[in-house]
Amino acid sequence: MAKVIVVTSGKGGVGKTTSTASIGAALAQTGKRVCVVDFDVGLRNLDLVLGAERRVVYDLINVALGDAKLKQALIRDKRIDTLHLLAASQTRDKDALTDDGVERVMGELRASFDYVICDSPAGIERGALLAMRFADQAVVVTNPEVSSVRDSDRIIGLLDSKTRCAERGDRMDKQLLLTRFDQGRCSRGEMLSVADVLDILSIPLLGIIPESADILRASNLGAPVTINNAASVAGRAYVDAARRLAGETVPMTIPGVAKKNLLDRVFGRRAA
Amino acid sequence: MTLFGFLKARGTAPVARERLQILLAHERVSLGSCDLLAKLRDELLATIARHIEFDPEKLTVKLDRAGSTSTLEIDVEIPSDKFTSGARRAVPAQVSAA
């Protein structure tokens, strides 16, 4: 049975889309059938990060309204056979998405994939609530920074009250993905530590993704870092997070802590 | 940075942590699970009001999350005379003595 995972955060710009694409690609590389779904109607970007921006014909709203069949709207990744994208509409109004329409699409996706990963828009409006509504579990993307942590806390509250899972009386499984982490700044006391954020948000940790030039380089090229440069520190961090999401036990490493050579010590204290 | 700046408390992260802890403790009560809290409050009010007359304003419901546990705190202030006449009509002497 498929697992529906929502990638959410409340705050914008923390790395939801990047994380959706990177984790989706990493899971698909293991042979699992994965569909990443963009819920950011009017501001879609998952297609761009995956390098599929010129291949979008039909989108989530077309399928939800019955204007197109799911098969017509799904875009298969050219690099990984098992990775698919369902894009958001760039032109339609987000109110065109209805509860019933999304529920039907989610049902169809569940039938044909192992993982359905929903990329939530920022905010706590309709699009964000619909992205989380039918999820079985959530990845809360947070930066070690006050506004992001506060918004994540709000989102955790919504995951516990506004989802089908919560309404059934079940407890939604929520995991924290700490992104744009910089160990150097953290050890100088300039940035909230992993322990600080975990302590405040009280949800288990899925992974720690370092602030990294490799991620920007990958998105410039339209390839998630797990495809473009899986051996990089950020790439490995995402691969590990994806393995944990799939239920494997992978030891947690804080990127930038293990290896620090003399040059790093003398010149730059930025990790990763 | 001043000349002896390095002697001062290091880093701003502890300040961020403390501000967040205070803010979120407050927001979780007023915003975080507002639906659940409002529902709990209404149902508690209805249940208590069935047996005792009291001022609805004197009922506070708090939900707090700290570490791995959550606590639900219910505080009801009941005027002593209401309690006497409403709840224990059968044994008035005993209650008023208490």
Side-chain angles (χ1 to χ4, degrees):
Chain A
M1 188 64 187
K3 232 183 210 178
V4 178
I5 300 163
V6 61
V7 177
T8 184
S9 70
K11 190 178 181 299
V14 296
K16 284 180 296 298
T17 303
T18 307
S19 299
T20 304
S22 305
I23 290 177
L27 283 170
Q29 275 168 332
T30 66
K32 297 284 182 195
R33 293 166 301 164
V34 178
C35 183
V36 289
V37 186
D38 194 345
F39 272 81
D40 206 343
V41 175
L43 291 170
R44 74 172 180 219
N45 275 319
L46 190 55
D47 54 336
L48 194 56
V49 169
L50 283 168
E53 70 275 14
R54 297 173 65 176
R55 300 173 61 206
V56 180
V57 181
Y58 294 109
D59 55 56
L60 174 62
I61 291 187
N62 293 141
V63 183
L65 293 177
D67 298 339
K69 291 207 171 81
L70 180 62
K71 272 196 173 162
Q72 294 174 288
L74 286 175
I75 302 165
R76 183 199 288 254
D77 189 88
K78 286 189 168 163
R79 298 148 297 203
I80 308 170
D81 278 355
T82 47
L83 180 62
H84 292 73
L85 163 72
L86 182 55
S89 173
Q90 188 69 331
T91 49
R92 298 290 279 272
D93 185 66
K94 62 178 180 303
D95 293 329
L97 275 182
T98 62
D99 246 45
D100 294 343
V102 173
E103 183 171 19
R104 195 174 46 74
V105 179
M106 285 296 144
E108 280 187 55
L109 287 170
R110 271 179 198 275
S112 21
F113 291 95
D114 298 312
Y115 291 97
V116 179
I117 308 180
C118 305
D119 182 22
S120 171
I124 50 172
E125 303 299 323
R126 187 176 180 75
L129 294 178
L130 275 174
M132 68 171 68
R133 180 117 188 98
F134 304 100
D136 306 312
Q137 67 182 89
V139 173
V140 179
V141 182
T142 308
N143 290 169
E145 179 265 328
V146 286
S147 53
S148 175
V149 175
R150 180 200 209 174
D151 292 357
S152 291
D153 190 74
R154 184 92 167 89
I155 281 291
I156 291 170
L158 294 176
L159 287 166
D160 284 335
S161 60
K162 301 273 187 191
T163 53
R164 269 288 162 82
C165 182
E167 286 170 5
R168 278 199 307 264
D170 294 336
R171 195 174 174 77
M172 183 178 282
D173 181 18
K174 300 170 289 288
Q175 287 167 287
L176 178 78
L177 188 67
L178 195 63
T179 52
R180 313 196 77 161
F181 184 74
D182 185 329
Q183 179 55 34
R185 295 175 69 187
C186 180
S187 44
R188 291 198 298 279
E190 295 168 8
M191 185 180 258
L192 287 167
S193 70
V194 178
D196 285 342
V197 181
L198 284 176
D199 188 39
I200 292 167
L201 293 178
S202 330
I203 58 172
L205 184 62
L206 179 67
I208 306 161
I209 314 296
E211 171 84 68
S212 159
D214 294 316
I215 291 176
L216 183 62
R217 216 170 282 140
S219 68
N220 285 343
L221 299 172
V225 71
T226 44
I227 294 179
N228 182 253
N229 190 357
S232 62
V233 180
R236 275 183 317 202
Y238 270 124
V239 169
D240 284 354
R243 289 172 60 194
R244 289 184 200 108
L245 202 58
E248 272 185 65
T249 309
V250 183
M252 192 68 67
T253 49
I254 300 182
V257 165
K259 286 175 237 157
K260 226 181 184 191
N261 61 31
L262 186 68
L263 282 177
D264 283 340
R265 283 176 201 278
V266 175
F267 295 110
R269 291 203 280 180
R270 269 178 70 99
Chain B
M1 193 194 247
T2 57
L3 187 57
F4 294 102
F6 66 92
L7 289 176
K8 279 196 243 162
R10 301 182 93 193
T12 48
V15 183
R17 180 198 160 97
E18 203 182 308
R19 288 177 60 218
L20 271 172
Q21 279 172 329
I22 294 167
L23 175 73
L24 294 182
H26 186 259
E27 280 190 347
R28 278 168 193 163
V29 177
S30 56
L31 287 169
S33 31
C34 55
D35 279 8
L36 173 67
L37 278 178
K39 254 187 244 165
L40 276 174
R41 216 189 111 85
D42 287 350
E43 284 174 28
L44 284 165
L45 267 176
T47 309
I48 299 168
R50 228 179 290 144
H51 304 283
I52 310 161
E53 261 183 68
F54 76 111
D55 181 0
E57 295 295 307
K58 298 284 167 66
L59 172 79
T60 54
V61 183
K62 273 189 200 170
L63 195 60
D64 220 338
R65 208 169 59 196
S68 58
T69 54
S70 299
T71 52
L72 175 67
E73 197 182 311
I74 303 160
D75 193 5
V76 197
E77 205 180 296
I78 303 168
S80 55
D81 56 323
K82 292 285 180 351
F83 190 63
T84 312
S85 59
R88 297 281 185 89
R89 229 168 289 148
V91 278
Q94 206 183 336
V95 175
S96 52

